[in-house]
Amino acid sequence: MGVVLMALGGTISVPGGPRGTRLTGAEITAAVPGLAELGVPLEVRDVQAVPSGSLTFAQVLDVVAIASRAVAEGADGVVVTQGTDTLEETAFLIDLVWPHEAPFVLTGAMRQPAMAGADGPANVLAAVRAAAAGQTRGAGVLVVLNDEVHAARWVRKTHSTNPATFASPSTGPLGHVVEGKVRMLLSPARHKPLPAGFDRERLEGARVALHVVTLDDDGAQLEGLEATHQGLVVAGFGVGHVPAVLAPRLGTLAERMPVVLTSRTGSGSVLRHTYSAPGSETDLRRRGLIDGGFLDPYKARVLLRLLLAAGAGPEDIVEAFAQHG
């Protein structure tokens, strides 16, 4: 059947014309040199023409359902074009629930189609190549931009405007597109997917806060959090530290909801038992915080929200973070 391409909107679909207009998926693909010559049957669908900053978990899961049906009907792979603002989060969300061997590839653009050096066409071409390549089967959800193939688990947007913004600081890319060929250098570890059939009401009710720890942070922003949220992700200093004055407050919250400890640095893992001062990773784990491992704060929030929406208990949440972190 070939590849199914679904257009969600974002910079790649902004023509530079009247405010509010968007290119359709057919218009996006028509502007890609060499796409028709690939020999890959391509079915193009328009799904949600919205900026990625306005996407919801429910909308992303709807895309997963559409993609799953396409694979069940014979599609070899799926490509989704969307805005880059939240691409690293949507990719990880999809990766957590994607059950198929067929590759699911996300791509986008940093420059609008009318701009000099627009990167959208090259990214679409590389993404379709990756979705159709046998080497990517079983690799889960991939992010393909700038002729690099990244695992959803590791990729991050690292620059606000640079077309080479997407990188995987902890691992590097899984592969590259070279002379029109997809060259995979690494194979990402795959885990059993979470169930994708979430109850919408339960998903909306699984509210997870993200608190980025800053200098002289006393936790005043966290007052009353237990009454409005069901979980918390803490982006701590360095290897997972917070001011000593904040530690008791986090410990109290951990008695009432899952609290996950991550690093605000952007790469690397939080530690478990190297430092022992008040506010250190050892102290926080003793107070009940969950080790987020290598997961960055944004991806940790995605995982925690899905787990809460699925009704996971405390032990299940700890186990899930041990596996995915």
Side-chain angles (χ1 to χ4, degrees):
M1 180 177 174
V3 172
V4 172
L5 183 146
M6 294 184 283
L8 286 182
T11 296
I12 196 170
S13 68
V14 178
R19 186 176 179 85
T21 62
R22 290 288 185 273
L23 297 177
T24 65
E27 289 171 324
I28 292 172
T29 54
V32 179
L35 185 59
E37 289 71 45
L38 279 185
V40 176
L42 190 65
E43 179 183 340
V44 181
R45 304 179 185 179
D46 293 298
V47 187
Q48 299 280 348
V50 295
S52 68
S54 295
L55 285 171
T56 66
F57 273 54
Q59 287 174 322
V60 174
L61 292 173
D62 284 342
V63 171
V64 173
I66 296 170
S68 289
R69 286 195 295 270
V71 170
E73 292 167 359
D76 299 313
V78 176
V79 172
V80 168
T81 62
Q82 70 157 81
T84 60
D85 283 349
T86 60
L87 197 151
E88 63 193 89
E89 292 168 82
T90 60
F92 185 57
L93 168 55
I94 297 167
D95 192 50
L96 288 172
V97 300
W98 185 244
H100 306 287
E101 287 291 300
F104 192 122
V105 181
L106 292 99
T107 193
M110 293 297 291
R111 292 174 178 161
Q112 297 175 4
M115 291 181 173
D119 53 331
N123 289 338
V124 169
L125 185 63
V128 173
R129 290 187 191 278
Q135 302 96 308
T136 60
R137 288 192 63 81
V141 177
L142 305 171
V143 173
V144 176
L145 292 98
N146 203 36
D147 280 343
E148 293 183 338
V149 182
H150 294 271
R153 165 69 179 78
W154 300 108
V155 72
R156 297 199 66 181
K157 186 174 182 178
T158 64
H159 194 282
S160 61
T161 60
N162 193 327
T165 178
F166 282 92
S168 298
S170 292
T171 64
L174 298 177
H176 302 264
V177 180
V178 182
E179 295 183 326
K181 301 292 183 181
V182 178
R183 302 286 298 276
M184 297 295 285
L185 307 178
L186 300 169
S187 297
R190 296 288 289 146
H191 301 295
K192 181 180 179 180
L194 301 176
F198 294 95
D199 178 84
R200 294 307 171 89
E201 184 175 345
R202 193 163 193 170
L203 183 62
E204 291 176 3
R207 303 184 67 191
V208 176
L210 171 59
H211 181 73
V212 180
V213 179
T214 55
L215 181 68
D216 202 19
D217 191 339
D218 61 2
Q221 294 174 313
L222 299 174
E223 291 298 327
L225 188 73
E226 59 271 28
T228 59
H229 290 73
Q230 288 67 52
L232 171 65
V233 173
V234 177
F237 302 130
V239 297
H241 295 170
V242 305
V245 68
L246 180 56
R249 176 61 184 149
L250 294 177
T252 298
L253 283 171
E255 294 173 357
R256 304 175 184 178
M257 65 174 68
V259 179
V260 179
L261 179 64
T262 65
S263 172
R264 70 177 197 175
T265 59
S267 63
S269 174
V270 293
L271 296 180
R272 296 174 61 84
H273 47 67
T274 297
Y275 298 90
S276 58
S280 68
E281 78 285 355
T282 304
D283 177 47
L284 295 173
R285 290 185 66 242
R286 186 168 55 245
R287 295 177 188 271
L289 273 68
I290 299 168
D291 176 13
F294 276 90
L295 280 180
D296 65 48
Y298 314 111
K299 291 189 172 73
R301 180 181 173 274
V302 169
L303 176 56
L304 182 55
R305 186 175 178 190
L306 285 186
L307 291 170
L308 290 171
E315 292 184 2
D316 296 325
I317 292 173
V318 171
E319 182 179 349
F321 274 92
Q323 182 180 67
H324 292 280

